[in-house]
Amino acid sequence: MTLDFYSFARGVVKGILTPLYRIKVIGVEQFPKDGGVLLCANHISNLDPPILGITAPRPIHFMAKEELFRVPILKNLINHLHAFPVKRGMSDRQALRTGLEVLKQGQVLGIFPEGTRSKDGKLKKGLPGIGFFALRTSAAVVPCAIIGPYRAFVPLKVVYGAPIDMAPLRERKASPEEATDYIMQHIQALLDQHR
């Protein structure tokens, strides 16, 4: 039921957003075909989650702010779209456990490491939660850059980078903050290369 709804919703949204924003997808062939994937992208618009949802080759589980789950109709909808709640501004252990479980089950966890949208389009400092997931699992870490102004008929780029080699950081037991910074450097490199 849920996967069918996800596929249906993906098709509808893709049919609307792809021509509207003239979406160009780069590097998607590097996206792992199976196994756990931690997808890390910059955050410039409320439309970022559906944009990733229609361009990534596999279904994505997103953390969504807890407030969205208080609206009954919206809660039902985003549950079917594989989202789960996270309390912003604090360490949410339940959300961390859920995220780890998604990755351990070999699925895709989508996260915007900045934690909130960037108003000026510049990449902000990432939160340590992303490093926590990268270090605590063997999931592939895929950086992604969303580039564009989100204006009708102005091309929007979605760039998927090659999986980041996190093994050295895992082996030397790097801190979550250090791992986050390392991932953010890869996202920034994609932004610099494709702007």
Side-chain angles (χ1 to χ4, degrees):
M1 162 71 181
T2 305
L3 186 58
D4 289 343
F5 180 79
Y6 187 99
S7 301
F8 169 75
R10 185 179 190 271
V12 170
V13 173
K14 189 171 188 173
I16 296 167
L17 296 186
T18 300
L20 179 63
Y21 294 117
R22 298 189 177 170
I23 299 169
K24 181 178 182 184
V25 185
I26 300 167
V28 74
E29 70 282 351
Q30 302 180 97
F31 203 98
K33 292 182 172 48
D34 48 39
V37 174
L38 182 61
L39 175 60
C40 310
N42 62 313
H43 197 10
I44 56 173
S45 167
N46 284 329
L47 288 173
D48 292 340
I51 289 293
L52 292 184
I54 64 174
T55 58
R58 295 169 56 190
I60 304 171
H61 297 253
F62 282 109
M63 283 186 175
K65 58 185 180 182
E66 186 187 38
E67 295 86 346
L68 297 176
F69 290 82
R70 294 183 192 146
V71 183
I73 296 172
L74 192 55
K75 176 183 178 180
N76 211 13
L77 178 65
I78 56 181
N79 274 330
H80 281 305
L81 295 174
H82 306 320
F84 59 95
V86 60
K87 296 184 180 83
R88 296 198 299 176
M90 62 185 78
S91 177
D92 184 341
R93 293 187 179 199
Q94 182 54 49
L96 293 175
R97 280 195 293 269
T98 303
L100 285 174
E101 194 55 35
V102 166
L103 294 171
K104 286 175 180 174
Q105 288 175 1
Q107 299 179 77
V108 180
L109 177 63
I111 292 192
F112 300 102
E114 296 159 284
T116 188
R117 284 170 291 137
S118 169
K119 291 184 172 65
D120 60 9
K122 292 178 183 171
L123 193 66
K124 308 294 184 201
K125 186 168 177 61
L127 299 172
I130 192 75
F132 170 83
F133 288 123
L135 296 171
R136 288 288 295 270
T137 69
S138 59
V141 178
V142 174
C144 177
I146 303 170
I147 304 167
Y150 275 102
R151 285 202 300 268
F153 311 118
V154 176
L156 181 78
K157 283 187 205 167
V158 182
V159 185
Y160 290 97
I164 303 168
D165 182 11
M166 300 298 295
L169 281 83
R170 288 170 180 150
E171 284 165 13
R172 65 180 172 81
K173 296 182 169 37
S175 69
E177 290 80 7
E178 194 178 349
T180 296
D181 289 345
Y182 187 60
I183 294 166
M184 299 307 281
Q185 289 167 19
H186 283 76
I187 298 173
Q188 185 64 60
L190 292 177
L191 289 166
D192 293 342
Q193 185 181 349
H194 293 277
R195 271 202 174 115

